[in-house]
Amino acid sequence: MTREVIGMAFILVGIMFDFFGVLGLVRLPDVYNRLQAATKCVTFGSAGILLGVFIIQGFNNFGFKALLGIVFIFLTSPVAAHAIARAAHRSGIPLTKETVVDQYQEDNELKD
Amino acid sequence: MTLQNRSRLFVFIFSFLVWLALTSVRDMEEVVAGLIVAALVTIVAGKFLITSEKSGHILRRIFSAIKYLIKFLWEMMKANFHVAFIVIHPYLPIKPGIVKIKTKLTKDSAITVLTNSITLTPGTLTVDLSPEKNEIYIHWIDVLSTDVEKNTKTIGGKFEKLLTEVFE
Amino acid sequence: MRLLRWFIGLLIIAAFLYGNFFIYDGIILYKLINVILFCALFVLFRVLFGPSPADRIVAVDILGILIVGLLAILGLVFDQSFFMDIGLIWALMSFIASLAFAKILEGRYLDD
């Protein structure tokens, strides 16, 4: 019984952060900021949900699959974010007007 | 035992244990199937896991890894509350920009872990690595300074020391 | 003006949460699944109206991670562990798809 209550608490916190991440995806001004908010919050939220499922289920094969899912999400989602950010910058999608500095652009112009 | 064979043995044992955990084993046939699958994985990708001899004591490295993990989880909690605060705020208090930091790590695996940690900690997102692998470009949601040395200390410094102990 | 838009958004979210948790009659897990589907609606907004191609790629990537959490909860509802299998494969495929989209956006193709 206690196990289920703790697991449900983890799931609730996870869904809350999922929601904040998606809100950031809608509200923030350009691709890079959206990527920041969405990657951090949705990764953490989904990991929280899977941890809650693991706590409720315990050490059977459902629980182990959830644990494997946590490891998998933590390894893959930053890599995908990095690839998308680099591709966006190289294909020339502009940063928002509020940007103060872009040292990547400066270095690229130096090389050419 | 050579390095490649040790890597293959490790991959075989690890993938077999994962198989046992994922299928709730009821009879002998599933164990045999698991052995065959683990052998296939070992043949295809066995030699890529351990590629160089590590120095230093194994226990001390595991201890540093646990310390790193705790620090990483704490930073990640902070990152999430930071993003939640920005997103709820009516006026979106952001000051974004792309800055450059230097790194002293040399191994590919260490740099990968460092960039992944930077992506999941407050306000920063890795954009690119320079071809010489000593500079990292980072998108920062709240730029405090544009000085390279100072940014190296604020963004990468907290993980770099622990990662040096773990990987090198 | 900005404050007014923020307030309207807050009202929409509050109305959804009130309807979901106090009017809708179902078990708690169904209510949580509804919240995740509401998040997916926001992501679909970004897929449809994203100003640049990179925005759409980010949205699809985030949708993949959201679905993993949803499938974990769905597995808890029916007490079946094969939902988690689908979730793991979904995360894998969405990761590969994001990398491929990023590569094409950068202007490189299969032979590069």
Side-chain angles (χ1 to χ4, degrees):
Chain A
M1 192 60 210
T2 20
R3 227 173 57 190
E4 280 174 8
V5 171
I6 296 173
M8 283 309 274
F10 269 102
I11 291 177
L12 263 178
V13 171
I15 285 178
M16 206 175 75
F17 278 113
D18 263 2
F19 187 72
F20 286 141
V22 172
L23 209 58
L25 187 69
V26 174
R27 286 197 72 204
L28 287 171
D30 72 343
V31 186
Y32 309 95
N33 293 316
R34 282 172 197 152
L35 203 52
Q36 287 228 12
T39 305
K40 286 189 190 81
C41 276
V42 176
T43 305
F44 187 73
S46 284
I49 293 173
L50 290 176
L51 191 65
V53 170
F54 170 69
I55 289 172
I56 289 177
Q57 287 288 327
F59 288 94
N60 53 15
N61 61 346
F62 197 171
F64 277 120
K65 278 170 195 166
L67 270 190
L68 195 69
I70 294 178
V71 174
F72 200 79
I73 287 178
F74 268 94
L75 285 181
T76 59
S77 90
V79 178
H82 157 67
I84 295 171
R86 194 177 73 157
H89 201 288
R90 286 201 179 167
S91 70
I93 290 164
L95 281 84
T96 175
K97 281 194 226 78
E98 293 150 14
T99 307
V100 284
V101 62
D102 188 356
Q103 288 176 345
Y104 189 41
Q105 186 72 29
E106 289 163 16
D107 280 14
N108 279 351
E109 279 166 5
L110 221 65
K111 265 173 217 155
D112 293 337
Chain B
M1 195 184 279
T2 62
L3 204 62
Q4 281 196 0
N5 281 341
R6 212 168 65 195
S7 169
R8 287 203 177 98
L9 183 70
F10 193 72
V11 169
F12 183 78
I13 293 172
F14 184 71
S15 47
F16 186 60
L17 283 182
V18 170
W19 174 276
L20 287 187
L22 288 190
T23 59
S24 51
V25 177
R26 287 179 220 87
D27 47 19
M28 209 52 212
E29 288 154 13
E30 286 183 342
V31 176
V32 173
L35 282 174
I36 292 172
V37 171
L40 277 179
V41 170
T42 310
I43 288 169
V44 173
K47 63 183 175 188
F48 298 117
L49 189 64
I50 304 173
T51 51
S52 66
E53 203 72 53
K54 300 282 182 1
S55 61
H57 202 269
I58 183 79
L59 277 180
R60 198 178 305 142
R61 281 179 51 217
I62 290 176
F63 182 67
S64 319
I66 291 172
K67 231 164 54 178
Y68 164 76
L69 214 70
I70 291 171
K71 181 149 195 141
F72 168 70
L73 285 177
W74 171 244
E75 291 288 330
M76 196 171 168
M77 291 283 289
K78 268 195 336 200
N80 279 284
F81 282 106
H82 179 233
V83 169
F85 169 72
I86 287 179
V87 165
I88 297 174
H89 201 283
Y91 292 106
L92 292 179
I94 57 174
K95 204 172 90 180
I98 295 182
V99 299
K100 181 168 79 172
I101 70 167
K102 286 190 187 318
T103 176
K104 286 196 282 293
L105 300 172
T106 49
K107 281 192 185 136
D108 284 353
S109 50
I111 293 178
T112 309
V113 175
L114 177 67
T115 48
N116 279 6
S117 321
I118 285 173
T119 297
L120 292 176
T121 47
T124 50
L125 171 84
T126 312
V127 176
D128 202 356
L129 191 67
S130 72
E132 297 85 32
K133 293 184 184 170
N134 56 359
E135 288 166 346
I136 307 175
Y137 297 97
I138 286 174
H139 182 267
W140 201 357
I141 208 167
D142 191 13
V143 177
L144 295 177
S145 78
T146 56
D147 182 38
V148 176
E149 297 297 327
K150 209 169 159 191
N151 287 340
T152 305
K153 209 175 257 174
T154 14
I155 298 175
K158 51 196 172 196
F159 294 122
E160 207 161 14
K161 199 163 147 285
L162 280 172
L163 282 179
T164 316
E165 285 172 19
V166 177
F167 282 97
E168 289 172 17
Chain C
M1 192 57 216
R2 205 161 180 181
L3 210 59
L4 187 72
R5 246 172 49 197
W6 182 81
F7 192 69
I8 292 172
L10 188 71
L11 274 186
I12 293 173
I13 292 169
F16 166 75
L17 287 180
Y18 178 75
N20 185 29
F21 283 102
F22 296 108
I23 296 174
Y24 173 65
D25 185 28
I27 63 171
I28 180 80
L29 287 171
Y30 282 146
K31 294 178 181 175
L32 296 182
I33 286 177
N34 283 344
V35 177
I36 295 187
L37 289 176
F38 188 61
C39 292
L41 215 62
F42 281 19
V43 177
L44 282 183
F45 168 80
R46 201 36 91 192
V47 172
L48 285 178
F49 300 105
S52 69
D55 285 307
R56 295 166 201 217
I57 297 174
V58 173
V60 171
D61 182 39
I62 294 307
L63 189 64
I65 307 176
L66 269 183
I67 292 292
V68 178
L70 192 148
L71 283 170
I73 298 181
L74 212 58
L76 270 189
V77 173
F78 294 109
D79 204 14
Q80 294 284 328
S81 75
F82 72 86
F83 282 99
M84 211 49 233
D85 290 340
I86 305 172
L88 286 176
I89 301 299
W90 195 308
L92 182 71
M93 297 308 271
S94 123
F95 170 61
I96 294 173
S98 305
L99 288 190
F101 279 137
K103 198 170 175 181
I104 290 175
L105 184 67
E106 208 170 311
R108 298 186 295 160
Y109 290 93
L110 277 180
D111 52 350
D112 195 358

